[in-house]
Amino acid sequence: MNEAKKIALVTGASRGLGAALALELSKTHHVMAVARTTGALEELDDKIQAIGGSATLAPMDITDKGAMAHLCRSIHDRWGGVDIWAHTAIYGPAMMPTPDLDDKGWKRAMDLNVEATRNLIFMLNPLLSDSSTALFFHDDHAGEKYFAGYGATKAAQMALVGSWAAETTKLGPNVVITSPKPLATSMRTRFFPGEDRSVLARVEDEALRLLQDAGLR
């Protein structure tokens, strides 16, 4: 691996849009791929190597603050910083009436979608230069029936990131919020079982489009 190669960090890289972004970014960057599922990360690494790219795998839970602090320190010590951070890690509690939303599902959604995002912004901001890009993905279901857990925590995440984006317009980093088309992912299948997947966007196509729209391609 070329130590001078630009660094792309993808949180939530094991599947879906995260994996597709990691694969596409590996064409121009060394990818730091973070996710909980080791096997899926290894499959991603095989694909990256097959197209001549390189990756460092970090199988860990982004809600573990100690692990994330260690990761950020390792990135600093080895590469000095991050050129692109794409944050795709998300948790969607099962769809249900709002009064039925239990503590376990709500807490996991808050911890992953909101608190982990806040903590990652805090830890990664020193690793991002004025020319770096932090990329986030909006999926608005706030206020829709049966989406209380996902809709509320995703909206909170976007409010948090939106404030950061407003604060960095002059100084950087470039904080980008973009909206993917409906994707053929496992989470969407859980939300909409029986949906015609043939009309949904391929994650590979959307990864390239979203990077182009963000000026990263």
Side-chain angles (χ1 to χ4, degrees):
M1 197 256 305
N2 179 4
E3 294 291 340
K5 200 170 187 179
K6 290 186 175 181
I7 303 301
L9 171 67
V10 181
T11 39
S14 61
R15 58 177 58 89
L17 182 60
L21 284 165
L23 185 61
E24 178 62 34
L25 285 166
S26 73
K27 298 174 182 177
T28 52
H29 293 65
H30 178 74
V31 173
M32 171 67 71
V34 181
R36 290 194 303 163
T37 311
T38 301
L41 285 177
E42 290 173 345
E43 290 177 11
L44 170 65
D45 191 40
D46 290 342
K47 293 178 182 178
I48 288 175
Q49 291 187 44
I51 62 172
S54 63
T56 298
L57 307 183
M60 56 185 65
D61 188 336
I62 65 166
T63 65
D64 185 334
K65 292 184 179 181
M68 289 301 100
H70 180 73
L71 175 69
C72 290
R73 180 62 194 226
S74 297
I75 292 172
H76 175 269
D77 290 347
R78 184 169 184 181
W79 296 295
V82 171
D83 298 286
I84 298 173
W85 170 32
H87 183 53
T88 65
I90 196 72
Y91 175 71
M95 293 177 67
M96 64 184 72
T98 303
D100 294 339
L101 184 62
D102 60 16
D103 289 349
K104 183 178 179 181
W106 175 253
K107 186 176 187 305
R108 178 63 179 165
M110 282 294 294
D111 286 348
L112 184 60
N113 301 348
V114 184
E115 176 58 18
T117 302
R118 182 205 63 80
N119 188 58
L120 285 169
I121 292 172
F122 173 75
M123 290 186 177
L124 283 166
N125 186 61
L127 299 177
L128 300 169
S129 70
D130 291 350
S131 60
S132 296
T133 296
L135 194 56
F136 299 86
F137 306 92
H138 196 15
D139 183 25
D140 187 9
H141 291 282
E144 294 182 16
K145 62 181 181 180
Y146 311 127
F147 270 102
Y150 179 73
T153 56
K154 186 63 177 176
Q157 182 193 69
M158 289 296 98
L160 181 70
V161 173
S163 291
W164 189 32
E167 295 154 4
T168 57
T169 54
K170 294 183 179 180
L171 297 176
N174 182 30
V175 179
V176 177
I177 300 174
T178 187
S179 296
K181 297 175 183 177
L183 297 169
T185 61
S186 58
M187 187 172 77
R188 186 172 178 90
T189 298
R190 287 194 293 107
F191 285 160
F192 303 106
E195 182 180 36
D196 181 4
R197 290 172 66 87
S198 67
V199 301
L200 302 176
R202 295 175 66 250
V203 289
E204 296 83 2
D205 296 336
E206 273 300 274
L208 178 57
R209 183 187 71 83
L210 293 168
L211 291 173
Q212 289 173 336
D213 288 352
L216 299 171
R217 282 292 180 270

